């Protein structure tokens, strides 16, 4: 049985990397006594898949992982066991049973929503609200992507699906798929540069609000949360 687990990551635990998060959940699942499925071979491991890895130092209220289990006593029991096995900084938000043909969490990611604010609350993105429409009206928003062998300019404008300023916070929905992943700092840096403001990244706080899958088509996307599929059990 395939299970999709939604969780939040915050506080001091935002400073642990993706591999450490994976190792943490492997131990938490064992502590919780969940009848998780293991792979075969000489080095069996828990069958577990995460959605888009979260950058170190970033909080999130929309993280997902998939596991496979052999047996259970209901979703509420599984969720309660996991909650008790998690320290402050990891909150289990939802548990769903996936259809057999559902793609795994990583392959399902199409987009993500981020919110960026100044750590110094005396500053606000509302101060630059007049730049937002002309920024989004551009046909091209170029960033430089570095590879091991070269660098290239990439137009990220088609992958910025929404962008707004709300309560002094810059909020945007961007492509987070494996083929067109847009890091949140790309959008923030380009917007502030467009507004003529130099702001070091350490002065900003970025939160991933939600991770989305595309229930529509590439031409007419319909973004829904990764836990929109599946059912309570």
């Amino acid at each position: 049985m395939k299970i999709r687990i939604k969780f939040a990551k915050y506080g001091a635990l935002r400073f642990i990397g993706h591999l450490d998060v994976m190792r943490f959940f492997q131990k938490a699942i064992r502590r919780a006594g969940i009848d998780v499925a293991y792979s075969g071979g000489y080095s069996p491991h828990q069958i577990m898949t995460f959605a888009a890895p979260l950058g170190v130092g970033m909080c999130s209220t929309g993280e997902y992982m998939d596991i496979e289990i052999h047996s259970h006593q209901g979703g509420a029991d599984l969720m309660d066991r996991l909650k008790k096995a998690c320290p402050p900084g990891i909150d289990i938000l939802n548990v769903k049973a996936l259809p057999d043909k559902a793609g795994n969490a990583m392959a399902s990611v199409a987009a993500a929503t981020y919110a960026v604010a100044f750590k110094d609350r005396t500053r606000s993105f509302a101060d630059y609200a007049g730049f937002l429409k002309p920024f989004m009206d551009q046909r091209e928003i170029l960033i430089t992507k570095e590879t091991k062998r070269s660098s290239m300019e990439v137009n990220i404008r088609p992958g910025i699906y929404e962008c707004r300023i709300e309560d002094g916070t810059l909020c945007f929905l961007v492509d987070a798929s494996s083929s067109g992943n847009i890091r949140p700092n790309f959008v923030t840096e380009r917007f502030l540069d467009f507004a003529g403001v130099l702001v070091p990244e350490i002065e900003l706080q970025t939160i991933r609000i939600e991770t989305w899958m595309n229930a529509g088509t590439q031409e007419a996307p319909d973004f829904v949360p990764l836990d929109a599929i599946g059912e309570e059990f």
Side-chain angles (χ1 to χ4, degrees), residues 58-135:
M58 193 182 302
C59 298
S60 176
T61 58
E63 298 302 287
Y64 294 89
M65 69 172 178
D66 294 348
I67 63 173
E68 290 189 24
I69 60 175
H70 292 302
S71 63
H72 63 85
Q73 297 180 31
D77 174 74
L78 189 151
M79 187 170 174
D80 184 60
R81 290 183 183 214
L82 268 181
K83 281 184 174 182
K84 290 178 179 177
C86 292
I90 296 287
D91 285 349
I92 306 301
L93 304 176
N94 197 5
V95 175
K96 290 280 190 74
L98 293 176
D100 290 337
K101 295 183 179 180
N104 66 45
M106 181 176 292
S108 300
V109 173
T113 304
Y114 296 91
V116 185
F118 288 95
K119 291 181 181 178
D120 177 2
R121 296 305 179 179
T122 63
R123 303 185 67 179
S124 169
F125 276 96
D127 299 334
Y128 314 110
F131 293 96
L132 185 59
K133 186 178 185 305
F135 174 74

Side-chain angles (χ1 to χ4, degrees), residues 108-114 132 135-138 141 155-164 171-182 187 210-215 217-224:
S108 300
V109 173
T113 304
Y114 296 91
L132 185 59
F135 174 74
M136 290 297 291
D137 283 345
Q138 298 178 102
I141 298 175
N155 177 22
I156 63 171
R157 177 60 188 90
I160 306 176
Y161 304 121
E162 297 176 6
C163 191
R164 67 186 187 279
C171 304
F172 46 87
L173 172 68
V174 293
D175 187 345
S177 65
S178 58
S179 60
N181 183 39
I182 296 176
V187 180
E210 185 58 271
T211 308
W212 308 85
M213 60 186 295
N214 184 7
T217 64
Q218 187 172 358
E219 295 74 20
D222 177 19
F223 296 120
V224 297

Side-chain angles (χ1 to χ4, degrees), residues 18 31 43-46 48 68 96 100 108 110 119 144-145 153 159 165 178 193 195 206 217 219-220 222 227:
H18 176 66
R31 286 197 301 271
S43 180
H45 58 273
Q46 294 177 14
M48 173 186 295
E68 290 189 24
K96 290 280 190 74
D100 290 337
S108 300
K119 291 181 181 178
T144 301
K145 278 196 172 182
E153 281 196 328
I165 294 173
S178 58
D193 183 62
T206 303
T217 64
E219 295 74 20
D222 177 19
D227 59 349

Side-chain angles (χ1 to χ4, degrees), residues 55 69 114 117 134 154 169 208:
I69 60 175
Y114 296 91
V154 177
T169 300
R208 180 148 70 195

